[in-house]
Amino acid sequence: MITRMSSLFLRTLREDPADAEVPSHRLLVRAGYVRRVAPGGYSWLPLGMRVLRNVERVVREEMDAIGAQEIQFPALLPREPYEATGRWTEYGPSLFRLKDRKGADYLLGPTHEELFALTVKGEYSSYKDYPVILYQIQTKYRDEERPRAGILRGREFLMKDSYSFDLDDAGLERSYQAHRAAYIRIFERLGLKYVIVSATSGAMGGSASEEFLAESDTGEDTFVRSTGSAYAANVEAVTTPAPAAQSVEDKPAAQVHHTPNTPTIQTLVDFLNAANLGRTFSAGDTLKNVMVKVRQPGATDWELLGVGLPGDREVDMKRLEASLYPAEVALLDEADFTANPFLVKGYIGPEALGANGVRYLVDPRVVPGTAWVTGANKLDHHVVDLVCGRDFTPDGTIEAAEVREGDPSPDGTGTLVAARGIEVGHIFQLGRKFADVFGLDALGPDGKPIRITMGSYGIGVSRVVAAVAEQHHDDLGLVWPRSIAPADVHVVIAGKDEALRSGAEQLAADLDAAGLTVLLDDRTASPGVKFADAELIGVPTIVVVGRGLAKGLVEVKDRLSGERTEVPVEQAVAHLTELVRGDRG
Amino acid sequence: MITRMSSLFLRTLREDPADAEVPSHRLLVRAGYVRRVAPGGYSWLPLGMRVLRNVERVVREEMDAIGAQEIQFPALLPREPYEATGRWTEYGPSLFRLKDRKGADYLLGPTHEELFALTVKGEYSSYKDYPVILYQIQTKYRDEERPRAGILRGREFLMKDSYSFDLDDAGLERSYQAHRAAYIRIFERLGLKYVIVSATSGAMGGSASEEFLAESDTGEDTFVRSTGSAYAANVEAVTTPAPAAQSVEDKPAAQVHHTPNTPTIQTLVDFLNAANLGRTFSAGDTLKNVMVKVRQPGATDWELLGVGLPGDREVDMKRLEASLYPAEVALLDEADFTANPFLVKGYIGPEALGANGVRYLVDPRVVPGTAWVTGANKLDHHVVDLVCGRDFTPDGTIEAAEVREGDPSPDGTGTLVAARGIEVGHIFQLGRKFADVFGLDALGPDGKPIRITMGSYGIGVSRVVAAVAEQHHDDLGLVWPRSIAPADVHVVIAGKDEALRSGAEQLAADLDAAGLTVLLDDRTASPGVKFADAELIGVPTIVVVGRGLAKGLVEVKDRLSGERTEVPVEQAVAHLTELVRGDRG
């Protein structure tokens, strides 16, 4: 296929769009791939369409390769199935809701677990029907509070979502691993540098879950990785290595101290160090007890929960919420303290919690035998050398403390550093949550129903285009990987000579005949303008048909390295075909 | 590609769906191509996806062939552009409207003229940029009052919409003709029997317009065609051949008659025939004057309009409205008659209208020299031999009378008969309506702006699937044309013998290697069930691998004719490849 720039619906821009915050947004707009139509709504112009379709093709091929079957649902969906799972409400303002002419409630699908579960229930009945993996590549809608960065976080976007249906956990694990392997192939083919991070489930509910993050400083997702291993995880998913339990034998007895004017950990530490107790205290020696209240799904009452963690760390509410999901978490208000007078604000200690039946969970670092400075449940008093397992026994551990750079990696090798990424994929063992709601069962060989277990797997197809652009660009413009470039070769006619024109046309025709896609710059613009546009557009191979043609030569330029090679025109097709096919792999 | 029915997400149904009114709905659901999700909302199952994608491919190829460039807009669109053209209101309850989290108004795009016009304005500035044709294949939304017939009239559907942008009328005509030719190729390739009918513009505004109607008794669109020529038109677009004007010389003078108790045309005719006036009258000799009021767009006042037509015909309000578009039309109410006492209800004649400055338009059959019985503008009185051009002069003609079977064809050959069809395509010279609203101009060679003229062209991609199914089925099921069939060959293993299975698997593999797509029925079901499903699914060629295999034979069955041929298995691939390629054309 030959695309002539003289008639291509494309106008490159010299200026960055005023609202562009990140390189992909800036360059995809400047190079004429996308245009903003509404907040978080973009149109795809011809070159953008090609890249988008190429990404779709790669995704489709790899999904088909694991036996997934493509179907398609409407985007406009009735309320009822989402009401049944609670997501009509749970999604809050992120869901686009509307009414039809009869006043019935509809939504624009943000994800389709409900419909897939119902459809499988409608078609399949026997255990012999399973397993099955279904997918769609479809437009999704989320009313983002702050759509940003062009197509990186839009309100209307293209997504591949697939769903696996299995008879048992081992089947789900196989479907999950098949997707994981397919995603790895997809992101490799797309030329994305990515990490796979352990993830918590967010609003989806369920168990095992991993995210594919394209590494990028402009990404919205923070994650941590090990300096010494391949370990990477969402901050919410980081587990804290527990130190070995210690003996309580040699620990001094707990002593309560009068500690006036110690409203903060630091003032407390300073007070103790000034009190000449024979040793030096640091914030990490204190045990901070943070009170929250927790409400289980469907419950009306809140339950108190004490969270104990070393005083040198803050509670990370996101980690706390993830640990307690699907329960809701809130901080206590004045009324809660009034209702529970044993909670002495600022001086809460483990003993009062245990004595009053309040559940108490601690950071994994709080192992038996460790001694702590903590509240004495009495105004202006703290206790020193309160020993875990001797003086108090927590009800369990919880991941609630902030994760810091330099923390040991959970896998035991290296320390953690923070990084940023763009979520391009998410794989997720949903389990039986949706099957339970809709009664999705298979009739087993013994005539008894088997509750189906589901997985849910997504790739942000349009977001991938932006993520690739974030990773593949330089100061001059975009530099597409071969697999999704809008053309194989960009042929520039560098001059107005008729000989150049006819030489370039012949070359383009020959390349087309050899099965390559050609973007031919046959415009009357100056060579300088054409070169600049070629760099901006980012086709990986640029062929300049210019002065050298008189000597039978064309120039082949590698967009990425900038390397130029003079190639005899009669060898150009063979040279370029080899180049393209080699890269395509 | 080989698709195994043992794992295909497909369950055929023995029963017709309860809500199915038409064959395509019934069969597409029973054969597992689509499933209902909501009123007017359907999911596409794997076989349906293939047919839909095949239609898309044909449409895309032919659009690309006329130089149209594919782009894509969001479906969720801001109110403002549609407010500017008035369509935010004009669409009435057919438009899905919603608000985002900030309360801003959005709509789900029913068609995209506004966005395309704005985008071209954003990118292009010089006359050198034009012409351009842009298209998209995209999901559209219309809140139909009565979604029906499965995917034939849905509320969410797939459409190819394209738009041409030209500098002048001749350019628009070229773009229009290019689309017309492309649509002819598309519908030919899709195997649709269709007619091209002259159409009025409906809510779109503009001039030349034609519809492509797939012939079908279940279609919602009525049209007329000539018994003697290729003429076909929407009823709204039928023009009435005017008889030759007659001399007024030899006509008797008009005489007013007292005609009591003649409330209807028939009682009037009977009265006159009983009055011994020396000749016989029929309803066609009377001139019925129907009063309506008309309001121009943007105007607040209504204007009276008299419509005169032969008394043997009723006014067809749709034809009248189409003739007066974009003005609104309404019947008179009591207050209107009270305000205009010269209108003597039941006895209105042309003279009172002219005398009171009321515009008076007549049916094209009312030519100069024709003599009529009509109202005398006086209770219980009619006038006989009121001659057009002598006793009254209309302000012009109007197409408002009903069209009847047996009317002469407007092209002069044959008479009209009524027929029904499914609108699958619409091509339309929009003109400058949208360009005027948005100020879409090109800078001309002389530095002066040139207002752009637009065309708008649509194909109902998902509806085409239903239209093809309406035309291509029999009592046993669907019979797909080769071009869009979900597979090239349906191989049925007719038995449980291992030899049959391995023979069929080998044949499928060989066909796959030859580039054919194969649906392989490798289920454990009985041959009867498999044959019935094969007929229902409708792949054009069915290969039965059964008892004959022992003698080295397979049976090749043509789904359409039912014809069976025994073919030596070693010649099967060559035979089938030739068959498929031959049909594909």
Side-chain angles (χ1 to χ4, degrees), chain A residues 11 35 101 123 129, chain B residues 11 35 101 123 129 143:
Chain A
R11 290 297 176 264
R35 288 288 180 265
R101 66 196 297 155
E123 304 300 310
D129 297 329
Chain B
R11 290 296 175 266
R35 287 290 180 263
R101 65 196 296 154
E123 305 299 310
D129 297 330
D143 196 353

Side-chain angles (χ1 to χ4, degrees), chain A residues 7-11 13 35 37-39 41-46 49 53 60 69-78 93-94 96-102 106 108 115 119-120 123-124 129 132 134 137-139 141 143-145 147 155-156, chain B residues 7-11 13 35 37-39 41-46 49 53 60 69-78 93-94 96-102 106 108 115 119-120 123-124 129 132 134 137-139 141 143-145 147 155-156:
Chain A
S7 55
L8 181 63
F9 188 63
L10 169 76
R11 290 297 176 264
L13 309 177
R35 288 288 180 265
V37 169
Y42 281 77
S43 59
W44 294 83
L45 300 190
M49 278 302 286
R53 290 282 177 258
R60 186 172 282 121
Q69 302 184 53
E70 188 172 2
I71 70 177
Q72 190 152 302
F73 278 98
L76 180 67
L77 299 170
S94 304
F96 281 109
R97 298 176 182 82
L98 68 158
K99 285 182 189 293
D100 74 357
R101 66 196 297 155
K102 289 175 179 160
Y106 283 81
L108 299 180
L115 276 295
T119 296
V120 170
E123 304 300 310
Y124 277 1
D129 297 329
V132 64
L134 301 173
I137 296 180
Q138 197 238 18
T139 306
Y141 296 86
D143 196 354
E144 296 283 351
E145 190 166 4
R155 300 201 293 178
E156 173 168 346
Chain B
S7 55
L8 182 62
F9 188 63
L10 169 76
R11 290 296 175 266
L13 309 177
R35 287 290 180 263
V37 169
Y42 281 77
S43 58
W44 294 82
L45 300 191
M49 278 302 287
R53 291 282 177 256
R60 186 172 280 122
Q69 303 183 51
E70 187 172 3
I71 70 178
Q72 190 152 304
F73 278 97
L76 180 67
L77 299 170
S94 304
F96 281 108
R97 298 176 183 82
L98 68 158
K99 286 183 189 292
D100 74 358
R101 65 196 296 154
K102 289 174 179 161
Y106 283 81
L108 298 181
L115 277 294
T119 296
V120 170
E123 305 299 310
Y124 276 1
D129 297 330
V132 66
L134 302 174
I137 296 179
Q138 196 236 18
T139 307
Y141 296 86
D143 196 353
E144 297 284 351
E145 191 168 2
R155 302 202 292 178
E156 172 168 347

Side-chain angles (χ1 to χ4, degrees), chain A residues 105-363:
Chain A
D105 282 317
Y106 283 81
L107 58 96
L108 299 180
T111 171
H112 278 65
E113 281 77 6
E114 283 83 351
L115 276 295
F116 275 81
L118 281 169
T119 296
V120 170
K121 183 180 159 84
E123 304 300 310
Y124 277 1
S125 54
S126 160
Y127 73 98
K128 292 180 192 162
D129 297 329
Y130 292 88
V132 64
I133 300 174
L134 301 173
Y135 77 101
Q136 61 178 350
I137 296 180
Q138 197 238 18
T139 306
K140 295 274 187 284
Y141 296 86
R142 288 184 202 165
D143 196 354
E144 296 283 351
E145 190 166 4
R146 189 169 156 265
R148 68 179 278 273
I151 53 170
L152 211 45
R153 180 173 289 276
R155 300 201 293 178
E156 173 168 346
F157 52 95
L158 194 65
M159 193 166 149
K160 185 285 297 176
D161 49 328
S162 47
Y163 306 89
S164 63
F165 299 84
D166 281 279
L167 293 170
D168 52 31
D169 294 350
L172 173 55
E173 182 64 24
R174 277 192 298 276
S175 297
Y176 182 88
Q177 292 301 335
H179 272 90
R180 195 177 196 273
Y183 278 33
I184 289 171
R185 285 191 296 273
I186 288 166
F187 294 123
E188 301 283 346
R189 287 178 64 181
L190 296 175
L192 272 180
K193 257 185 79 178
Y194 66 94
V195 289
I196 304 175
V197 301
S198 302
T200 51
S201 52
M204 306 283 293
S207 50
S209 168
E210 288 168 293
E211 284 174 7
F212 288 73
L213 300 181
E215 300 179 35
S216 166
D217 292 341
T218 62
E220 283 196 318
D221 289 85
T222 310
F223 66 99
V224 290
R225 56 196 317 168
S226 169
T227 54
S229 74
Y231 176 83
N234 266 352
V235 172
E236 287 87 336
V238 171
T239 53
T240 306
Q246 302 171 23
S247 162
V248 301
E249 301 284 309
D250 52 347
K251 295 288 182 312
Q255 324 108 42
V256 173
H257 289 262
H258 182 225
T259 54
N261 302 317
T262 55
T264 64
I265 299 284
Q266 192 52 50
T267 51
L268 172 63
V269 167
D270 290 346
F271 180 94
L272 292 176
N273 283 336
N276 288 318
L277 298 179
R279 52 193 154 131
T280 308
F281 292 87
S282 71
D285 297 321
T286 68
L287 178 64
K288 178 157 62 177
N289 294 304
V290 177
M291 295 305 303
V292 294
K293 53 187 179 181
V294 173
R295 184 162 62 181
Q296 299 302 327
T300 49
D301 288 345
W302 293 89
E303 183 200 354
L304 289 181
L305 172 68
V307 175
L309 70 164
D312 61 342
R313 297 203 178 238
E314 298 300 324
V315 166
D316 179 332
M317 281 304 285
K318 278 188 152 178
R319 279 173 48 78
L320 177 63
E321 284 167 3
S323 294
L324 294 171
Y325 184 87
E328 274 178 279
V329 187
L331 296 174
L332 300 200
D333 54 26
E334 258 339 295
D336 294 314
F337 281 100
T338 309
N340 297 286
F342 60 91
L343 296 176
V344 186
K345 230 171 156 182
Y347 300 90
I348 297 169
E351 291 161 303
L353 302 181
N356 289 281
V358 174
R359 194 156 65 115
Y360 182 54
L361 301 175
V362 295
D363 184 84

Side-chain angles (χ1 to χ4, degrees), chain B residues 541-543 554-558 563-565 567 575-576 579:
Chain B
T541 304
I542 300 167
V543 178
V554 295
E555 185 183 278
V556 176
K557 181 175 172 187
D558 184 72
E563 200 185 319
R564 296 153 192 268
T565 320
V567 177
H575 178 85
L576 291 164
L579 206 65

Side-chain angles (χ1 to χ4, degrees), chain B residues 220-418:
Chain B
E220 284 197 316
D221 289 86
T222 310
F223 67 101
V224 291
R225 56 195 318 168
S226 169
T227 54
S229 73
Y231 176 85
N234 265 353
V235 172
E236 288 87 334
V238 170
T239 54
T240 307
Q246 302 171 23
S247 163
V248 301
E249 300 286 306
D250 53 347
K251 295 288 183 306
Q255 322 108 42
V256 173
H257 289 261
H258 182 224
T259 54
N261 301 320
T262 56
T264 63
I265 299 284
Q266 193 51 50
T267 51
L268 173 63
V269 167
D270 291 345
F271 181 95
L272 293 174
N273 285 336
N276 290 318
L277 296 179
R279 51 189 152 131
T280 309
F281 293 88
S282 71
D285 297 321
T286 67
L287 179 64
K288 175 158 66 177
N289 295 303
V290 176
M291 296 305 303
V292 295
K293 53 187 179 180
V294 173
R295 185 163 62 180
Q296 299 303 325
T300 48
D301 288 346
W302 293 89
E303 185 200 354
L304 289 180
L305 171 68
V307 176
L309 69 164
D312 61 342
R313 294 199 182 242
E314 299 300 325
V315 166
D316 178 332
M317 282 304 286
K318 276 188 154 181
R319 279 172 49 77
L320 178 63
E321 284 167 5
S323 294
L324 295 171
Y325 184 87
E328 275 178 277
V329 187
L331 297 174
L332 300 199
D333 53 27
E334 259 338 294
D336 294 314
F337 281 100
T338 311
N340 297 285
F342 60 90
L343 296 176
V344 186
K345 231 170 151 182
Y347 301 90
I348 297 168
E351 291 159 305
L353 301 182
N356 288 280
V358 173
R359 195 155 66 115
Y360 182 55
L361 302 174
V362 294
D363 184 84
R365 295 171 190 87
V366 185
V367 291
T370 49
W372 303 91
V373 176
T374 189
N377 300 304
K378 193 174 156 189
L379 188 68
D380 287 346
H381 286 77
H382 282 93
V383 57
V384 175
D385 285 330
L386 196 76
V387 173
C388 181
R390 181 188 73 184
D391 304 321
F392 70 98
T393 308
D395 296 309
T397 61
I398 187 166
E399 294 292 351
E402 61 181 325
V403 173
R404 291 200 201 130
E405 294 214 351
D407 282 347
S409 176
D411 70 350
T413 310
T415 55
L416 297 179
V417 289

